Amino acid sequence: MHEERETNDEPRDPPSKATPQGKTLIDCHVHLAALPDSDNGCYISPKTLKSPLFRFLLWKHGLSPDKPREANQKYLADLLTELKASRHVHKAVLLGMDGTYDHNGRYNQAHTDFLIGNDYVLKTAQAHPTEFLAGASINPQRRDAIDEVHRCADAGAILVKVLPNAQQFDPADRKYTPFYRALAERKLPFLSHVGYEFSLIGKDQSVGEPDRLRLALEEGATVIAAHACSYGLILYEKFLPTLRDLVTRYPHFYADISALTLPNRMRMLLHLRQYPELHERLLFGTDYPLSVFHMAAWGRVALGTLRKMIGTKNRFDRQVEVCNGLQLGFRSLGDLLPHSSGMAGH
């Protein structure tokens, strides 16, 4: 095991060539949203269905909660259309969302706001292998968590995503050590939400602190901190020193740039411009279906560059344009994956 961890910790070389379509990027942070139907295994609490954000997303995407099967098909079709039209992004990692579990490791629907099952994620990715990769979601509190790691890895999942604030677990709890060792063994990166959580009902916001990811790193897992460790509360970015320390200490630590153009996380985007030594550890992501804004670039880029950002309607491409315009470097998740997983058409 020790030798495997040392191998897993070595920094990867940047990609040597583009994909056949000339696109080079994988979006590592795309949500597979779905309304519950008769057989997709998904769940949305009544409270979440009534939330302003969820209602806004339904309205924006023209989805009817009264027709879940048709709504799910439309969401997927719209995502595929926008992804295929992108000039830069050739694949997206579809992220599931596990539920909450009690102290015995049993599923607790009463405390679950939103559930996108791994079987639905795997099935969707398998149906569109040219465009999608599967990002399973496994709450380490569930009693079959390690079995689920192996099951999802065997079925083709390429990472595991968690949202501790909503899934009600502390990533720093040492009882999850065997879970992190299983991730390291299967070489599945651990993508964890960082910062305040608005989209779902966060119960304990402190479990979104990046310091709590050190245990997973110490057990040899590759860790990806979502949203570049931004706090998400606009006023200040208290996790910037932690981000810098994690990059220095752990060669298998990364952060994605998803949602950094949102007003509440924009400050971290602007801070990161001043630390080019961190850019090698930043991975491309959008947080689709959330919007990508260009306000961070106002007054900071040439007028022609800003016009290009404004004129770019494709969310994947606008994320690229805004970050490129602000000289925020990043790389693709494909650099971390086996060659065949990161290339289109394989």
Side-chain angles (χ1 to χ4, degrees):
M1 179 65 74
H2 183 64
E3 292 179 359
E4 285 184 9
R5 290 188 205 173
E6 288 185 343
T7 301
N8 198 32
D9 291 355
E10 291 175 1
R12 280 78 172 178
D13 293 329
S16 58
K17 61 180 179 178
T19 65
Q21 296 90 343
K23 305 179 183 185
T24 59
L25 293 174
I26 294 174
D27 187 330
C28 74
H29 201 125
V30 170
H31 291 282
L32 180 58
L35 294 166
D37 62 24
S38 59
D39 61 4
N40 67 1
C42 300
Y43 171 76
I44 302 175
S45 70
K47 186 176 182 179
T48 301
L49 270 174
K50 295 175 185 176
S51 69
L53 177 62
F54 203 85
R55 286 179 175 271
F56 171 75
L57 290 174
L58 289 173
W59 169 80
K60 184 176 181 182
H61 289 266
L63 306 178
S64 171
D66 301 323
K67 298 179 179 178
R69 196 176 297 273
E70 291 87 342
N72 295 341
Q73 290 171 347
K74 184 179 187 301
Y75 180 87
L76 195 59
D78 290 348
L79 169 56
L80 280 165
T81 298
E82 192 162 1
L83 181 62
K84 289 177 180 178
S86 172
R87 294 178 292 111
H88 300 286
V89 180
H90 73 97
K91 279 195 175 188
V93 180
L94 298 180
L95 302 178
M97 177 66 186
D98 204 354
T100 62
Y101 295 78
D102 64 22
H103 65 280
N104 292 316
R106 292 176 299 208
Y107 173 58
N108 187 338
Q109 183 168 290
H111 287 88
T112 296
D113 299 315
F114 191 53
L115 173 67
I116 302 294
N118 289 332
D119 286 341
Y120 184 61
V121 172
L122 291 163
K123 178 181 176 182
T124 305
Q126 289 162 1
H128 303 277
T130 302
E131 294 85 15
F132 294 147
L133 296 164
S137 182
I138 305 171
N139 186 333
Q141 178 65 18
R142 58 190 287 176
R143 55 185 170 183
D144 66 341
I146 294 174
D147 290 340
E148 185 70 356
V149 167
H150 293 299
R151 186 184 78 87
C152 291
D154 290 342
I158 56 91
L159 59 77
V160 168
K161 166 68 165 41
V162 296
L163 204 167
N165 313 46
Q167 292 169 335
Q168 300 182 43
F169 75 93
D170 180 359
D173 193 324
R174 301 204 70 86
K175 70 182 179 183
Y176 303 136
T177 294
F179 174 78
Y180 296 135
R181 288 177 178 170
L183 293 179
E185 177 190 343
R186 298 309 299 263
K187 294 182 168 55
L188 288 178
F190 183 61
L191 171 58
S192 181
H193 172 89
V194 167
Y196 207 89
E197 169 55 29
F198 294 97
S199 303
L200 299 174
I201 297 93
K203 304 298 192 297
D204 179 359
Q205 299 291 356
S206 70
V207 297
E209 296 174 357
D211 259 328
R212 300 184 186 232
L213 301 174
R214 293 181 190 271
L215 177 61
L217 290 160
E218 288 162 3
E219 294 304 326
T222 294
V223 170
I224 303 170
H227 319 310
C229 292
S230 58
Y231 186 38
L233 285 181
I234 302 175
L235 300 177
Y236 69 115
E237 288 297 350
K238 67 177 184 177
F239 298 141
L240 180 59
T242 306
L243 170 63
R244 298 178 68 195
D245 182 66
L246 291 171
V247 166
T248 300
R249 289 178 182 272
Y250 303 101
H252 50 303
F253 172 81
Y254 298 85
D256 77 33
I257 61 170
S258 67
L260 285 191
T261 69
L262 297 182
N264 61 304
R265 295 188 185 274
M266 189 176 75
R267 187 179 292 269
M268 181 62 92
L269 170 62
L270 299 176
H271 279 316
L272 288 172
R273 302 168 72 208
Q274 304 169 33
Y275 300 95
E277 70 276 9
L278 301 179
H279 296 181
E280 178 74 7
R281 302 291 187 84
L282 300 180
L283 301 177
F284 181 82
T286 57
D287 213 0
Y288 183 101
L290 298 185
S291 299
V292 176
F293 295 93
H294 46 71
M295 65 181 73
W298 296 357
R300 296 182 174 91
V301 300
L303 191 57
T305 303
L306 183 61
R307 282 202 193 100
K308 185 177 181 183
M309 293 177 191
I310 296 171
T312 301
K313 304 304 180 185
N314 186 288
R315 275 171 281 191
F316 302 105
D317 291 345
R318 177 176 280 183
Q319 183 83 340
V320 173
E321 297 294 344
V322 171
C323 292
N324 282 350
L326 290 171
Q327 297 185 315
L328 180 72
F330 55 83
R331 59 197 300 189
S332 174
L333 176 69
D335 300 358
L336 280 64
L337 302 178
H339 183 71
S340 59
S341 298
M343 298 298 288
H346 286 240

